[in-house]
Amino acid sequence: MKLEFFEDGLDGGPMILLYGGGPDEVALLRNAMRTLSGGVGRQLALNDLPFVQSVDKCRLRAISAAADLGVVARAPADFEWTLGPESWLQVDEQLEPFCEEKSGVSFQYLNPGNGPEIIYSTARAW
């Protein structure tokens, strides 16, 4: 699975794309991210997960907080994605369909907060 930032991604705006990896890696991603729904203060660096390959040093830290703040850039390719526990549960549910083998390209918007869009896609397309 790859993690890549596009400055001119979606409608000319910034976008973070998680893509590829197949059903097994999506299941691993869901398991890792599920800890974020367990309470405020939990954090996870997606780029540090062993099955995630960062493209051009893109970094994405997921944080569980009291409110959905969305995505904030800390540096050109260094982001913090802050959502409440309930929203992390929704992200988990949105990734569930990708745990089954399918043909073709499909994708899902994941960020209900502000800032750059975060998309999971089965390929480097959206």
Side-chain angles (χ1 to χ4, degrees):
M1 180 177 298
K2 294 189 178 183
L3 173 66
E4 187 171 357
F5 173 65
F6 294 86
E7 196 167 318
D8 296 316
L10 196 62
D11 298 326
M15 178 190 78
I16 299 166
L17 186 67
L18 271 164
Y19 62 96
D24 291 342
E25 288 186 0
V26 173
L28 290 171
L29 177 65
R30 289 181 68 207
N31 285 338
M33 293 181 75
R34 203 168 285 135
T35 63
L36 298 167
S37 64
V40 172
R42 297 176 185 226
Q43 297 187 21
L44 172 68
L46 273 64
N47 49 284
D48 287 344
L49 295 171
F51 54 89
V52 174
Q53 179 185 350
S54 175
V55 176
D56 294 328
K57 299 180 182 168
C58 180
R59 296 172 16 144
L60 180 61
R61 177 172 300 281
I63 301 168
S64 183
D68 292 349
L69 302 177
V71 179
V72 175
R74 296 290 174 213
D78 188 358
F79 301 92
E80 287 184 353
W81 183 18
T82 305
L83 300 176
E86 192 63 36
S87 291
W88 286 119
L89 277 176
Q90 291 172 3
V91 170
D92 177 48
E93 291 168 5
Q94 290 171 316
L95 289 170
E96 184 177 11
F98 298 100
C99 290
E100 298 173 16
E101 203 65 58
K102 293 180 182 160
S103 61
V105 176
S106 55
F107 60 91
Q108 175 66 52
Y109 294 84
L110 300 176
N111 181 23
N114 295 323
E117 188 57 69
I118 296 181
I119 297 175
Y120 174 78
S121 179
T122 54
R124 193 175 184 259
W126 57 93

mmCIF file with all atom_site columns, all heavy atoms in Angstrom, residues 20-48:
data_model
loop_
_atom_site.group_PDB
_atom_site.id
_atom_site.type_symbol
_atom_site.label_atom_id
_atom_site.label_alt_id
_atom_site.label_comp_id
_atom_site.label_asym_id
_atom_site.label_entity_id
_atom_site.label_seq_id
_atom_site.pdbx_PDB_ins_code
_atom_site.Cartn_x
_atom_site.Cartn_y
_atom_site.Cartn_z
_atom_site.occupancy
_atom_site.B_iso_or_equiv
_atom_site.pdbx_formal_charge
_atom_site.auth_seq_id
_atom_site.auth_comp_id
_atom_site.auth_asym_id
_atom_site.auth_atom_id
_atom_site.pdbx_PDB_model_num
ATOM 1   N N   . GLY A 1 20 ? -3.668  0.976   -3.404 1.00 0.00 ? 20 GLY A N   1
ATOM 2   C CA  . GLY A 1 20 ? -3.109  -0.347  -3.640 1.00 0.00 ? 20 GLY A CA  1
ATOM 3   C C   . GLY A 1 20 ? -3.126  -1.197  -2.380 1.00 0.00 ? 20 GLY A C   1
ATOM 4   O O   . GLY A 1 20 ? -3.828  -0.925  -1.418 1.00 0.00 ? 20 GLY A O   1
ATOM 5   N N   . GLY A 1 21 ? -2.358  -2.238  -2.413 1.00 0.00 ? 21 GLY A N   1
ATOM 6   C CA  . GLY A 1 21 ? -2.209  -3.077  -1.233 1.00 0.00 ? 21 GLY A CA  1
ATOM 7   C C   . GLY A 1 21 ? -3.097  -4.298  -1.189 1.00 0.00 ? 21 GLY A C   1
ATOM 8   O O   . GLY A 1 21 ? -2.738  -5.293  -0.604 1.00 0.00 ? 21 GLY A O   1
ATOM 9   N N   . GLY A 1 22 ? -4.262  -4.217  -1.780 1.00 0.00 ? 22 GLY A N   1
ATOM 10  C CA  . GLY A 1 22 ? -5.149  -5.371  -1.790 1.00 0.00 ? 22 GLY A CA  1
ATOM 11  C C   . GLY A 1 22 ? -5.884  -5.562  -0.478 1.00 0.00 ? 22 GLY A C   1
ATOM 12  O O   . GLY A 1 22 ? -5.638  -4.878  0.519  1.00 0.00 ? 22 GLY A O   1
ATOM 13  N N   . PRO A 1 23 ? -6.822  -6.526  -0.464 1.00 0.00 ? 23 PRO A N   1
ATOM 14  C CA  . PRO A 1 23 ? -7.686  -6.760  0.698  1.00 0.00 ? 23 PRO A CA  1
ATOM 15  C C   . PRO A 1 23 ? -6.936  -7.054  2.003  1.00 0.00 ? 23 PRO A C   1
ATOM 16  O O   . PRO A 1 23 ? -7.347  -6.594  3.064  1.00 0.00 ? 23 PRO A O   1
ATOM 17  C CB  . PRO A 1 23 ? -8.533  -7.953  0.284  1.00 0.00 ? 23 PRO A CB  1
ATOM 18  C CG  . PRO A 1 23 ? -8.540  -7.913  -1.203 1.00 0.00 ? 23 PRO A CG  1
ATOM 19  C CD  . PRO A 1 23 ? -7.188  -7.377  -1.593 1.00 0.00 ? 23 PRO A CD  1
ATOM 20  N N   . ASP A 1 24 ? -5.832  -7.806  1.934  1.00 0.00 ? 24 ASP A N   1
ATOM 21  C CA  . ASP A 1 24 ? -5.108  -8.147  3.158  1.00 0.00 ? 24 ASP A CA  1
ATOM 22  C C   . ASP A 1 24 ? -4.512  -6.913  3.824  1.00 0.00 ? 24 ASP A C   1
ATOM 23  O O   . ASP A 1 24 ? -4.593  -6.753  5.046  1.00 0.00 ? 24 ASP A O   1
ATOM 24  C CB  . ASP A 1 24 ? -4.005  -9.172  2.871  1.00 0.00 ? 24 ASP A CB  1
ATOM 25  C CG  . ASP A 1 24 ? -4.570  -10.531 2.496  1.00 0.00 ? 24 ASP A CG  1
ATOM 26  O OD1 . ASP A 1 24 ? -5.758  -10.790 2.783  1.00 0.00 ? 24 ASP A OD1 1
ATOM 27  O OD2 . ASP A 1 24 ? -3.823  -11.329 1.896  1.00 0.00 ? 24 ASP A OD2 1
ATOM 28  N N   . GLU A 1 25 ? -3.928  -6.026  3.026  1.00 0.00 ? 25 GLU A N   1
ATOM 29  C CA  . GLU A 1 25 ? -3.323  -4.827  3.598  1.00 0.00 ? 25 GLU A CA  1
ATOM 30  C C   . GLU A 1 25 ? -4.389  -3.836  4.065  1.00 0.00 ? 25 GLU A C   1
ATOM 31  O O   . GLU A 1 25 ? -4.183  -3.130  5.049  1.00 0.00 ? 25 GLU A O   1
ATOM 32  C CB  . GLU A 1 25 ? -2.341  -4.185  2.617  1.00 0.00 ? 25 GLU A CB  1
ATOM 33  C CG  . GLU A 1 25 ? -1.085  -5.028  2.490  1.00 0.00 ? 25 GLU A CG  1
ATOM 34  C CD  . GLU A 1 25 ? 0.000   -4.380  1.654  1.00 0.00 ? 25 GLU A CD  1
ATOM 35  O OE1 . GLU A 1 25 ? -0.196  -3.266  1.146  1.00 0.00 ? 25 GLU A OE1 1
ATOM 36  O OE2 . GLU A 1 25 ? 1.064   -5.004  1.505  1.00 0.00 ? 25 GLU A OE2 1
ATOM 37  N N   . VAL A 1 26 ? -5.537  -3.783  3.400  1.00 0.00 ? 26 VAL A N   1
ATOM 38  C CA  . VAL A 1 26 ? -6.624  -2.928  3.879  1.00 0.00 ? 26 VAL A CA  1
ATOM 39  C C   . VAL A 1 26 ? -7.100  -3.436  5.244  1.00 0.00 ? 26 VAL A C   1
ATOM 40  O O   . VAL A 1 26 ? -7.364  -2.647  6.148  1.00 0.00 ? 26 VAL A O   1
ATOM 41  C CB  . VAL A 1 26 ? -7.788  -2.858  2.865  1.00 0.00 ? 26 VAL A CB  1
ATOM 42  C CG1 . VAL A 1 26 ? -8.971  -2.107  3.465  1.00 0.00 ? 26 VAL A CG1 1
ATOM 43  C CG2 . VAL A 1 26 ? -7.337  -2.182  1.583  1.00 0.00 ? 26 VAL A CG2 1
ATOM 44  N N   . ALA A 1 27 ? -7.176  -4.750  5.412  1.00 0.00 ? 27 ALA A N   1
ATOM 45  C CA  . ALA A 1 27 ? -7.561  -5.324  6.705  1.00 0.00 ? 27 ALA A CA  1
ATOM 46  C C   . ALA A 1 27 ? -6.536  -4.948  7.783  1.00 0.00 ? 27 ALA A C   1
ATOM 47  O O   . ALA A 1 27 ? -6.919  -4.601  8.911  1.00 0.00 ? 27 ALA A O   1
ATOM 48  C CB  . ALA A 1 27 ? -7.697  -6.837  6.597  1.00 0.00 ? 27 ALA A CB  1
ATOM 49  N N   . LEU A 1 28 ? -5.249  -4.973  7.453  1.00 0.00 ? 28 LEU A N   1
ATOM 50  C CA  . LEU A 1 28 ? -4.211  -4.568  8.400  1.00 0.00 ? 28 LEU A CA  1
ATOM 51  C C   . LEU A 1 28 ? -4.343  -3.082  8.741  1.00 0.00 ? 28 LEU A C   1
ATOM 52  O O   . LEU A 1 28 ? -4.190  -2.683  9.901  1.00 0.00 ? 28 LEU A O   1
ATOM 53  C CB  . LEU A 1 28 ? -2.813  -4.841  7.822  1.00 0.00 ? 28 LEU A CB  1
ATOM 54  C CG  . LEU A 1 28 ? -2.409  -6.306  7.694  1.00 0.00 ? 28 LEU A CG  1
ATOM 55  C CD1 . LEU A 1 28 ? -1.105  -6.433  6.914  1.00 0.00 ? 28 LEU A CD1 1
ATOM 56  C CD2 . LEU A 1 28 ? -2.280  -6.943  9.073  1.00 0.00 ? 28 LEU A CD2 1
ATOM 57  N N   . LEU A 1 29 ? -4.633  -2.250  7.737  1.00 0.00 ? 29 LEU A N   1
ATOM 58  C CA  . LEU A 1 29 ? -4.833  -0.819  7.957  1.00 0.00 ? 29 LEU A CA  1
ATOM 59  C C   . LEU A 1 29 ? -6.019  -0.582  8.884  1.00 0.00 ? 29 LEU A C   1
ATOM 60  O O   . LEU A 1 29 ? -5.941  0.207   9.830  1.00 0.00 ? 29 LEU A O   1
ATOM 61  C CB  . LEU A 1 29 ? -5.044  -0.102  6.622  1.00 0.00 ? 29 LEU A CB  1
ATOM 62  C CG  . LEU A 1 29 ? -5.342  1.396   6.701  1.00 0.00 ? 29 LEU A CG  1
ATOM 63  C CD1 . LEU A 1 29 ? -4.139  2.152   7.260  1.00 0.00 ? 29 LEU A CD1 1
ATOM 64  C CD2 . LEU A 1 29 ? -5.719  1.941   5.322  1.00 0.00 ? 29 LEU A CD2 1
ATOM 65  N N   . ARG A 1 30 ? -7.116  -1.268  8.631  1.00 0.00 ? 30 ARG A N   1
ATOM 66  C CA  . ARG A 1 30 ? -8.307  -1.127  9.477  1.00 0.00 ? 30 ARG A CA  1
ATOM 67  C C   . ARG A 1 30 ? -7.998  -1.516  10.918 1.00 0.00 ? 30 ARG A C   1
ATOM 68  O O   . ARG A 1 30 ? -8.406  -0.826  11.854 1.00 0.00 ? 30 ARG A O   1
ATOM 69  C CB  . ARG A 1 30 ? -9.450  -1.985  8.950  1.00 0.00 ? 30 ARG A CB  1
ATOM 70  C CG  . ARG A 1 30 ? -10.050 -1.459  7.659  1.00 0.00 ? 30 ARG A CG  1
ATOM 71  C CD  . ARG A 1 30 ? -11.186 -2.331  7.190  1.00 0.00 ? 30 ARG A CD  1
ATOM 72  N NE  . ARG A 1 30 ? -12.320 -2.207  8.125  1.00 0.00 ? 30 ARG A NE  1
ATOM 73  C CZ  . ARG A 1 30 ? -13.217 -3.159  8.310  1.00 0.00 ? 30 ARG A CZ  1
ATOM 74  N NH1 . ARG A 1 30 ? -13.132 -4.310  7.665  1.00 0.00 ? 30 ARG A NH1 1
ATOM 75  N NH2 . ARG A 1 30 ? -14.220 -2.979  9.135  1.00 0.00 ? 30 ARG A NH2 1
ATOM 76  N N   . ASN A 1 31 ? -7.275  -2.616  11.111 1.00 0.00 ? 31 ASN A N   1
ATOM 77  C CA  . ASN A 1 31 ? -6.926  -3.057  12.459 1.00 0.00 ? 31 ASN A CA  1
ATOM 78  C C   . ASN A 1 31 ? -6.084  -2.013  13.177 1.00 0.00 ? 31 ASN A C   1
ATOM 79  O O   . ASN A 1 31 ? -6.299  -1.727  14.358 1.00 0.00 ? 31 ASN A O   1
ATOM 80  C CB  . ASN A 1 31 ? -6.193  -4.397  12.427 1.00 0.00 ? 31 ASN A CB  1
ATOM 81  C CG  . ASN A 1 31 ? -7.120  -5.550  12.146 1.00 0.00 ? 31 ASN A CG  1
ATOM 82  O OD1 . ASN A 1 31 ? -8.329  -5.464  12.360 1.00 0.00 ? 31 ASN A OD1 1
ATOM 83  N ND2 . ASN A 1 31 ? -6.569  -6.636  11.647 1.00 0.00 ? 31 ASN A ND2 1
ATOM 84  N N   . ALA A 1 32 ? -5.118  -1.435  12.470 1.00 0.00 ? 32 ALA A N   1
ATOM 85  C CA  . ALA A 1 32 ? -4.252  -0.415  13.071 1.00 0.00 ? 32 ALA A CA  1
ATOM 86  C C   . ALA A 1 32 ? -5.049  0.839   13.413 1.00 0.00 ? 32 ALA A C   1
ATOM 87  O O   . ALA A 1 32 ? -4.905  1.408   14.499 1.00 0.00 ? 32 ALA A O   1
ATOM 88  C CB  . ALA A 1 32 ? -3.107  -0.073  12.117 1.00 0.00 ? 32 ALA A CB  1
ATOM 89  N N   . MET A 1 33 ? -5.926  1.260   12.520 1.00 0.00 ? 33 MET A N   1
ATOM 90  C CA  . MET A 1 33 ? -6.686  2.488   12.713 1.00 0.00 ? 33 MET A CA  1
ATOM 91  C C   . MET A 1 33 ? -7.817  2.313   13.731 1.00 0.00 ? 33 MET A C   1
ATOM 92  O O   . MET A 1 33 ? -8.263  3.286   14.337 1.00 0.00 ? 33 MET A O   1
ATOM 93  C CB  . MET A 1 33 ? -7.227  3.003   11.388 1.00 0.00 ? 33 MET A CB  1
ATOM 94  C CG  . MET A 1 33 ? -6.110  3.472   10.459 1.00 0.00 ? 33 MET A CG  1
ATOM 95  S SD  . MET A 1 33 ? -6.711  4.095   8.901  1.00 0.00 ? 33 MET A SD  1
ATOM 96  C CE  . MET A 1 33 ? -7.351  5.683   9.398  1.00 0.00 ? 33 MET A CE  1
ATOM 97  N N   . ARG A 1 34 ? -8.253  1.089   13.935 1.00 0.00 ? 34 ARG A N   1
ATOM 98  C CA  . ARG A 1 34 ? -9.346  0.824   14.876 1.00 0.00 ? 34 ARG A CA  1
ATOM 99  C C   . ARG A 1 34 ? -8.970  1.264   16.296 1.00 0.00 ? 34 ARG A C   1
ATOM 100 O O   . ARG A 1 34 ? -9.843  1.637   17.079 1.00 0.00 ? 34 ARG A O   1
ATOM 101 C CB  . ARG A 1 34 ? -9.701  -0.663  14.847 1.00 0.00 ? 34 ARG A CB  1
ATOM 102 C CG  . ARG A 1 34 ? -11.108 -0.951  15.311 1.00 0.00 ? 34 ARG A CG  1
ATOM 103 C CD  . ARG A 1 34 ? -11.531 -2.376  14.996 1.00 0.00 ? 34 ARG A CD  1
ATOM 104 N NE  . ARG A 1 34 ? -11.832 -2.513  13.577 1.00 0.00 ? 34 ARG A NE  1
ATOM 105 C CZ  . ARG A 1 34 ? -11.424 -3.528  12.818 1.00 0.00 ? 34 ARG A CZ  1
ATOM 106 N NH1 . ARG A 1 34 ? -10.706 -4.495  13.328 1.00 0.00 ? 34 ARG A NH1 1
ATOM 107 N NH2 . ARG A 1 34 ? -11.749 -3.577  11.547 1.00 0.00 ? 34 ARG A NH2 1
ATOM 108 N N   . THR A 1 35 ? -7.679  1.253   16.624 1.00 0.00 ? 35 THR A N   1
ATOM 109 C CA  . THR A 1 35 ? -7.249  1.690   17.951 1.00 0.00 ? 35 THR A CA  1
ATOM 110 C C   . THR A 1 35 ? -7.614  3.156   18.194 1.00 0.00 ? 35 THR A C   1
ATOM 111 O O   . THR A 1 35 ? -7.814  3.559   19.332 1.00 0.00 ? 35 THR A O   1
ATOM 112 C CB  . THR A 1 35 ? -5.727  1.520   18.139 1.00 0.00 ? 35 THR A CB  1
ATOM 113 O OG1 . THR A 1 35 ? -5.044  2.349   17.194 1.00 0.00 ? 35 THR A OG1 1
ATOM 114 C CG2 . THR A 1 35 ? -5.304  0.071   17.944 1.00 0.00 ? 35 THR A CG2 1
ATOM 115 N N   . LEU A 1 36 ? -7.722  3.959   17.127 1.00 0.00 ? 36 LEU A N   1
ATOM 116 C CA  . LEU A 1 36 ? -8.026  5.380   17.260 1.00 0.00 ? 36 LEU A CA  1
ATOM 117 C C   . LEU A 1 36 ? -9.443  5.620   17.765 1.00 0.00 ? 36 LEU A C   1
ATOM 118 O O   . LEU A 1 36 ? -9.726  6.656   18.376 1.00 0.00 ? 36 LEU A O   1
ATOM 119 C CB  . LEU A 1 36 ? -7.829  6.092   15.920 1.00 0.00 ? 36 LEU A CB  1
ATOM 120 C CG  . LEU A 1 36 ? -6.400  6.058   15.376 1.00 0.00 ? 36 LEU A CG  1
ATOM 121 C CD1 . LEU A 1 36 ? -6.380  6.494   13.929 1.00 0.00 ? 36 LEU A CD1 1
ATOM 122 C CD2 . LEU A 1 36 ? -5.479  6.915   16.218 1.00 0.00 ? 36 LEU A CD2 1
ATOM 123 N N   . SER A 1 37 ? -10.339 4.675   17.527 1.00 0.00 ? 37 SER A N   1
ATOM 124 C CA  . SER A 1 37 ? -11.722 4.836   17.993 1.00 0.00 ? 37 SER A CA  1
ATOM 125 C C   . SER A 1 37 ? -11.853 4.484   19.472 1.00 0.00 ? 37 SER A C   1
ATOM 126 O O   . SER A 1 37 ? -12.908 4.672   20.058 1.00 0.00 ? 37 SER A O   1
ATOM 127 C CB  . SER A 1 37 ? -12.675 3.979   17.154 1.00 0.00 ? 37 SER A CB  1
ATOM 128 O OG  . SER A 1 37 ? -12.377 2.605   17.320 1.00 0.00 ? 37 SER A OG  1
ATOM 129 N N   . GLY A 1 38 ? -10.760 4.006   20.073 1.00 0.00 ? 38 GLY A N   1
ATOM 130 C CA  . GLY A 1 38 ? -10.795 3.575   21.465 1.00 0.00 ? 38 GLY A CA  1
ATOM 131 C C   . GLY A 1 38 ? -10.692 4.689   22.494 1.00 0.00 ? 38 GLY A C   1
ATOM 132 O O   . GLY A 1 38 ? -10.810 4.440   23.681 1.00 0.00 ? 38 GLY A O   1
ATOM 133 N N   . GLY A 1 39 ? -10.435 5.905   22.056 1.00 0.00 ? 39 GLY A N   1
ATOM 134 C CA  . GLY A 1 39 ? -10.379 7.001   23.020 1.00 0.00 ? 39 GLY A CA  1
ATOM 135 C C   . GLY A 1 39 ? -9.512  8.152   22.559 1.00 0.00 ? 39 GLY A C   1
ATOM 136 O O   . GLY A 1 39 ? -8.646  7.996   21.704 1.00 0.00 ? 39 GLY A O   1
ATOM 137 N N   . VAL A 1 40 ? -9.784  9.311   23.135 1.00 0.00 ? 40 VAL A N   1
ATOM 138 C CA  . VAL A 1 40 ? -9.054  10.532  22.818 1.00 0.00 ? 40 VAL A CA  1
ATOM 139 C C   . VAL A 1 40 ? -7.595  10.406  23.248 1.00 0.00 ? 40 VAL A C   1
ATOM 140 O O   . VAL A 1 40 ? -7.289  9.799   24.266 1.00 0.00 ? 40 VAL A O   1
ATOM 141 C CB  . VAL A 1 40 ? -9.740  11.731  23.518 1.00 0.00 ? 40 VAL A CB  1
ATOM 142 C CG1 . VAL A 1 40 ? -8.925  12.990  23.401 1.00 0.00 ? 40 VAL A CG1 1
ATOM 143 C CG2 . VAL A 1 40 ? -11.139 11.937  22.957 1.00 0.00 ? 40 VAL A CG2 1
ATOM 144 N N   . GLY A 1 41 ? -6.691  10.960  22.428 1.00 0.00 ? 41 GLY A N   1
ATOM 145 C CA  . GLY A 1 41 ? -5.271  10.972  22.754 1.00 0.00 ? 41 GLY A CA  1
ATOM 146 C C   . GLY A 1 41 ? -4.462  9.894   22.055 1.00 0.00 ? 41 GLY A C   1
ATOM 147 O O   . GLY A 1 41 ? -3.232  9.926   22.076 1.00 0.00 ? 41 GLY A O   1
ATOM 148 N N   . ARG A 1 42 ? -5.117  8.960   21.412 1.00 0.00 ? 42 ARG A N   1
ATOM 149 C CA  . ARG A 1 42 ? -4.388  7.904   20.703 1.00 0.00 ? 42 ARG A CA  1
ATOM 150 C C   . ARG A 1 42 ? -3.867  8.435   19.371 1.00 0.00 ? 42 ARG A C   1
ATOM 151 O O   . ARG A 1 42 ? -4.504  9.269   18.733 1.00 0.00 ? 42 ARG A O   1
ATOM 152 C CB  . ARG A 1 42 ? -5.288  6.701   20.481 1.00 0.00 ? 42 ARG A CB  1
ATOM 153 C CG  . ARG A 1 42 ? -5.720  6.092   21.799 1.00 0.00 ? 42 ARG A CG  1
ATOM 154 C CD  . ARG A 1 42 ? -6.678  4.954   21.598 1.00 0.00 ? 42 ARG A CD  1
ATOM 155 N NE  . ARG A 1 42 ? -7.149  4.474   22.894 1.00 0.00 ? 42 ARG A NE  1
ATOM 156 C CZ  . ARG A 1 42 ? -7.206  3.200   23.222 1.00 0.00 ? 42 ARG A CZ  1
ATOM 157 N NH1 . ARG A 1 42 ? -6.843  2.282   22.375 1.00 0.00 ? 42 ARG A NH1 1
ATOM 158 N NH2 . ARG A 1 42 ? -7.644  2.859   24.407 1.00 0.00 ? 42 ARG A NH2 1
ATOM 159 N N   . GLN A 1 43 ? -2.690  7.945   18.954 1.00 0.00 ? 43 GLN A N   1
ATOM 160 C CA  . GLN A 1 43 ? -2.070  8.397   17.705 1.00 0.00 ? 43 GLN A CA  1
ATOM 161 C C   . GLN A 1 43 ? -1.512  7.205   16.940 1.00 0.00 ? 43 GLN A C   1
ATOM 162 O O   . GLN A 1 43 ? -1.182  6.183   17.525 1.00 0.00 ? 43 GLN A O   1
ATOM 163 C CB  . GLN A 1 43 ? -0.925  9.366   17.987 1.00 0.00 ? 43 GLN A CB  1
ATOM 164 C CG  . GLN A 1 43 ? -1.346  10.635  18.650 1.00 0.00 ? 43 GLN A CG  1
ATOM 165 C CD  . GLN A 1 43 ? -0.199  11.627  18.761 1.00 0.00 ? 43 GLN A CD  1
ATOM 166 O OE1 . GLN A 1 43 ? 0.780   11.544  18.027 1.00 0.00 ? 43 GLN A OE1 1
ATOM 167 N NE2 . GLN A 1 43 ? -0.331  12.574  19.665 1.00 0.00 ? 43 GLN A NE2 1
ATOM 168 N N   . LEU A 1 44 ? -1.399  7.396   15.624 1.00 0.00 ? 44 LEU A N   1
ATOM 169 C CA  . LEU A 1 44 ? -0.865  6.361   14.753 1.00 0.00 ? 44 LEU A CA  1
ATOM 170 C C   . LEU A 1 44 ? -0.215  7.037   13.549 1.00 0.00 ? 44 LEU A C   1
ATOM 171 O O   . LEU A 1 44 ? -0.856  7.839   12.868 1.00 0.00 ? 44 LEU A O   1
ATOM 172 C CB  . LEU A 1 44 ? -2.008  5.448   14.282 1.00 0.00 ? 44 LEU A CB  1
ATOM 173 C CG  . LEU A 1 44 ? -1.701  4.413   13.223 1.00 0.00 ? 44 LEU A CG  1
ATOM 174 C CD1 . LEU A 1 44 ? -0.785  3.340   13.783 1.00 0.00 ? 44 LEU A CD1 1
ATOM 175 C CD2 . LEU A 1 44 ? -2.992  3.793   12.702 1.00 0.00 ? 44 LEU A CD2 1
ATOM 176 N N   . ALA A 1 45 ? 1.049   6.730   13.294 1.00 0.00 ? 45 ALA A N   1
ATOM 177 C CA  . ALA A 1 45 ? 1.725   7.253   12.107 1.00 0.00 ? 45 ALA A CA  1
ATOM 178 C C   . ALA A 1 45 ? 1.531   6.237   10.983 1.00 0.00 ? 45 ALA A C   1
ATOM 179 O O   . ALA A 1 45 ? 2.152   5.169   10.991 1.00 0.00 ? 45 ALA A O   1
ATOM 180 C CB  . ALA A 1 45 ? 3.205   7.486   12.382 1.00 0.00 ? 45 ALA A CB  1
ATOM 181 N N   . LEU A 1 46 ? 0.646   6.556   10.036 1.00 0.00 ? 46 LEU A N   1
ATOM 182 C CA  . LEU A 1 46 ? 0.355   5.621   8.957  1.00 0.00 ? 46 LEU A CA  1
ATOM 183 C C   . LEU A 1 46 ? 1.602   5.296   8.143  1.00 0.00 ? 46 LEU A C   1
ATOM 184 O O   . LEU A 1 46 ? 1.785   4.162   7.703  1.00 0.00 ? 46 LEU A O   1
ATOM 185 C CB  . LEU A 1 46 ? -0.751  6.157   8.048  1.00 0.00 ? 46 LEU A CB  1
ATOM 186 C CG  . LEU A 1 46 ? -2.182  5.830   8.486  1.00 0.00 ? 46 LEU A CG  1
ATOM 187 C CD1 . LEU A 1 46 ? -2.536  6.461   9.798  1.00 0.00 ? 46 LEU A CD1 1
ATOM 188 C CD2 . LEU A 1 46 ? -3.165  6.207   7.424  1.00 0.00 ? 46 LEU A CD2 1
ATOM 189 N N   . ASN A 1 47 ? 2.475   6.285   7.942  1.00 0.00 ? 47 ASN A N   1
ATOM 190 C CA  . ASN A 1 47 ? 3.683   6.074   7.154  1.00 0.00 ? 47 ASN A CA  1
ATOM 191 C C   . ASN A 1 47 ? 4.670   5.127   7.839  1.00 0.00 ? 47 ASN A C   1
ATOM 192 O O   . ASN A 1 47 ? 5.565   4.599   7.202  1.00 0.00 ? 47 ASN A O   1
ATOM 193 C CB  . ASN A 1 47 ? 4.375   7.406   6.849  1.00 0.00 ? 47 ASN A CB  1
ATOM 194 C CG  . ASN A 1 47 ? 4.538   8.266   8.074  1.00 0.00 ? 47 ASN A CG  1
ATOM 195 O OD1 . ASN A 1 47 ? 3.556   8.859   8.521  1.00 0.00 ? 47 ASN A OD1 1
ATOM 196 N ND2 . ASN A 1 47 ? 5.729   8.327   8.633  1.00 0.00 ? 47 ASN A ND2 1
ATOM 197 N N   . ASP A 1 48 ? 4.512   4.892   9.149  1.00 0.00 ? 48 ASP A N   1
ATOM 198 C CA  . ASP A 1 48 ? 5.398   3.971   9.875  1.00 0.00 ? 48 ASP A CA  1
ATOM 199 C C   . ASP A 1 48 ? 4.893   2.533   9.892  1.00 0.00 ? 48 ASP A C   1
ATOM 200 O O   . ASP A 1 48 ? 5.604   1.642   10.364 1.00 0.00 ? 48 ASP A O   1
ATOM 201 C CB  . ASP A 1 48 ? 5.597   4.441   11.320 1.00 0.00 ? 48 ASP A CB  1
ATOM 202 C CG  . ASP A 1 48 ? 6.492   5.669   11.412 1.00 0.00 ? 48 ASP A CG  1
ATOM 203 O OD1 . ASP A 1 48 ? 7.200   5.978   10.435 1.00 0.00 ? 48 ASP A OD1 1
ATOM 204 O OD2 . ASP A 1 48 ? 6.471   6.332   12.474 1.00 0.00 ? 48 ASP A OD2 1
#
